[in-house]
Amino acid sequence: MKRIRKAVFPVAGLGSRFLPATKVMPKEMLPIVDKPIIQYAVEEAADAGITDMVFIIGRTKRAIADHFDKAYELENELVSRGKHDMLKIVEDTIPRGVNCIFIRQAEALGLGHAVLCAEAVVGNEPFAVLLADDLLDGSVSVTKQMADVFNYHRCSVLGVMEVPREATGSYGVVSTEKDSGEIRRISGIVEKPKPENAPSNLAVVGRYILTPQIFEHLRNLKPGTHGELQLTDAISALLREESVLAYQFNATRYDCGDKLGYLKAMVELGMRHKEIGADFSDFLSQRFAPPA
């Protein structure tokens, strides 16, 4: 089986939880300090050695394609003004050696449908899926961690984390053949179960490495609620013919599809920003210092 060269980024969602900011701007372009959320995901994939970035975009997501395109006018202006530091920032938007491919999803028919849209580009290769809303901050790229697991076990891998049982209704939740361990074989997966019906509190969080067999199961799915194809249902079918592993990754997760999670990411990454981190940390310590 080939190494992982391709990553799929489903970015066609409406971002309704961030209205009115997302009325004209994709939620994936919301910045964490000075870098859009989607760029963190692309850099994570590039750190894993992935070279082909496949974006599944909607009609209103042109800004994402523009962000990862060459900005001739801006670059020429920066050169003429001698602003070479800023020029490097613009040029580094696209990691070196990376190809960006954009596929239009005509209708938002679920995560499974978005992944299926990438089949013609992915072909008969294993591939990664990254949901940019989940910003995963670790010393080693989570996609790199999962690629290493895949390279050893040669089967699909889902990134998981433990969540409070009352929160299982917001995630795909897996059951596994053992109760503990960083890597566990999945025995079942259900989408957004009620807490009392959840098989565990081990939730799938925005990162997948999948074998190409997933496409056959996506094509054979019957549409569910609102006519959507659920990736969870296709993975459940895949389990009947090959192993799928749950990998409990080593990183901090920020749910940037949620306002509170987005603000937490802004604060934590802002405090580490090489340009303003020290001053921002000083401001926070002074602003929120306990009274004397």
Side-chain angles (χ1 to χ4, degrees):
M1 195 176 292
K2 301 175 182 178
R3 72 175 181 87
I4 298 162
R5 301 185 303 124
K6 297 173 181 177
V8 175
F9 302 86
V11 290
L14 295 176
S16 55
R17 282 187 285 179
F18 280 87
L19 287 169
T22 50
K23 181 179 178 182
V24 296
M25 179 172 65
K27 64 178 178 178
E28 296 84 4
M29 288 299 296
L30 293 172
I32 304 294
V33 188
D34 53 6
K35 187 188 298 184
I37 295 169
I38 185 62
Q39 191 170 334
Y40 285 93
V42 168
E43 290 175 354
E44 178 187 325
D47 285 345
I50 291 171
T51 55
D52 294 339
M53 311 294 175
V54 184
F55 300 87
I56 310 302
I57 62 173
R59 184 176 56 84
T60 62
K61 299 300 182 88
R62 182 67 197 176
I64 296 174
D66 290 344
H67 179 71
F68 290 106
D69 199 357
K70 187 172 179 63
Y72 291 98
E73 297 85 354
L74 175 58
E75 292 180 21
N76 289 337
E77 183 70 15
L78 293 173
V79 169
S80 68
R81 295 189 181 191
K83 296 185 176 182
H84 298 291
D85 289 345
M86 292 185 179
L87 176 63
K88 187 175 187 311
I89 291 172
V90 173
E91 291 176 335
D92 288 348
T93 298
I94 307 172
R96 294 190 183 280
V98 160
N99 304 311
C100 294
I101 302 160
F102 298 90
I103 298 173
R104 175 73 67 86
Q105 184 183 18
E107 295 181 84
L109 296 177
L111 178 57
H113 181 261
V115 173
L116 184 58
C117 287
E119 182 180 13
V121 172
V122 171
N124 191 34
E125 297 184 31
F127 64 103
V129 177
L130 291 86
L131 306 187
D133 284 0
D134 287 309
L135 196 161
L136 302 183
D137 180 38
S139 58
V140 177
S141 154
V142 168
T143 301
K144 172 68 166 61
Q145 295 176 39
M146 293 175 61
D148 289 344
V149 174
F150 170 83
N151 289 336
Y152 185 84
H153 293 278
R154 313 307 289 176
C155 63
S156 296
V157 185
L158 312 186
V160 300
M161 63 179 289
E162 292 183 350
V163 299
R165 184 163 284 274
E166 60 269 20
T168 57
S170 298
Y171 300 91
V173 177
V174 301
S175 53
T176 58
E177 293 183 352
K178 56 181 181 178
D179 295 330
S180 62
E182 189 178 73
I183 301 171
R184 314 179 207 178
R185 183 171 175 173
I186 296 173
S187 55
I189 183 169
V190 292
E191 181 68 14
K192 298 181 178 178
K194 294 180 179 180
E196 61 271 22
N197 298 327
S200 73
N201 67 333
L202 208 58
V204 181
V205 182
R207 297 294 183 274
Y208 309 78
I209 290 180
L210 300 168
T211 60
Q213 285 75 16
I214 194 69
F215 291 123
E216 178 183 354
H217 296 292
L218 287 168
R219 288 194 303 271
N220 291 330
L221 281 184
K222 294 181 179 179
T225 306
H226 308 300
E228 295 185 347
L229 301 181
Q230 295 297 339
L231 181 59
T232 299
D233 293 338
I235 293 171
S236 182
L238 184 66
L239 280 170
R240 293 193 283 270
E241 63 182 41
E242 64 180 58
S243 295
V244 180
L245 301 178
Y247 172 66
Q248 200 158 353
F249 54 80
N250 182 19
T252 301
R253 179 234 185 183
Y254 299 101
D255 180 4
C256 291
D258 171 79
K259 293 173 186 175
L260 180 58
Y262 176 75
L263 290 174
K264 288 179 180 179
M266 185 78 78
V267 171
E268 293 287 350
L269 274 65
M271 291 174 67
R272 302 204 309 263
H273 192 278
K274 62 182 180 181
E275 181 183 344
I276 54 90
D279 289 341
F280 184 47
S281 296
D282 287 344
F283 164 76
L284 291 176
S285 62
Q286 294 172 19
R287 177 66 176 82
F288 299 105

